[in-house]
């Protein structure tokens, strides 16, 4: 079974995971999206996939695009997330 099939976000409005920015009212939206991620059984696989594939938009695995970019650039673990750099491939 593919990890996407059991993702908690499947039953949520997709727009929740794609805020317009990272500040102001968007920050509340990001926190709401993260609350879904934190109860998701595949959060780690989702975040790992997004980091490895350079996903540029949205909240994936409880991480914003900026947090994933920091991980890819080797600037340490993103806030509110786990370190996904050493994970094996999750299709």
């Amino acid at each position: 079974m593919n990890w996407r099939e059991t993702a908690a976000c499947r039953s949520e409005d997709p727009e929740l995971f794609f805020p317009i920015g990272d500040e102001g009212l968007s920050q509340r939206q990001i926190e709401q999206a993260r609350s879904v991620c934190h109860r998701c059984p595949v959060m780690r696989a989702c975040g790992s996939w997004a980091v490895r594939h350079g996903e540029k938009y949205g909240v994936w695995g409880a991480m914003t695009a900026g947090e994933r970019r920091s991980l890819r650039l080797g600037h340490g673990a993103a806030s509110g997330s786990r370190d996904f750099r050493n994970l094996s491939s999750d299709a």
Side-chain angles (χ1 to χ4, degrees):
M1 179 182 298
N2 187 300
W3 62 266
R4 293 171 189 90
E5 295 174 20
T6 58
C9 60
R10 287 179 58 98
S11 62
E12 301 288 334
D13 181 351
E15 289 188 25
L16 174 63
F17 300 90
F18 294 92
I20 295 172
D22 290 336
E23 299 175 353
L25 294 176
S26 293
Q27 188 59 41
R28 182 165 187 227
Q29 185 176 346
I30 290 167
E31 291 307 317
Q32 290 173 331
R34 282 184 172 153
S35 72
V36 174
C37 295
H38 288 297
R39 70 173 192 262
C40 182
V42 296
M43 183 182 87
R44 189 172 175 93
C46 175
S48 175
W49 183 92
V51 169
R52 284 192 332 273
H53 290 88
E55 184 62 51
K56 293 181 182 180
Y57 306 102
V59 175
W60 292 75
M63 291 183 287
T64 64
E67 291 166 338
R68 291 190 305 275
R69 188 172 31 260
S70 290
L71 280 177
R72 284 193 306 276
L73 296 174
H75 296 147
S79 66
S81 65
R82 298 178 186 171
D83 187 346
F84 293 95
R85 290 174 291 179
N86 298 320
L87 295 180
S88 61
S89 178
D90 297 314

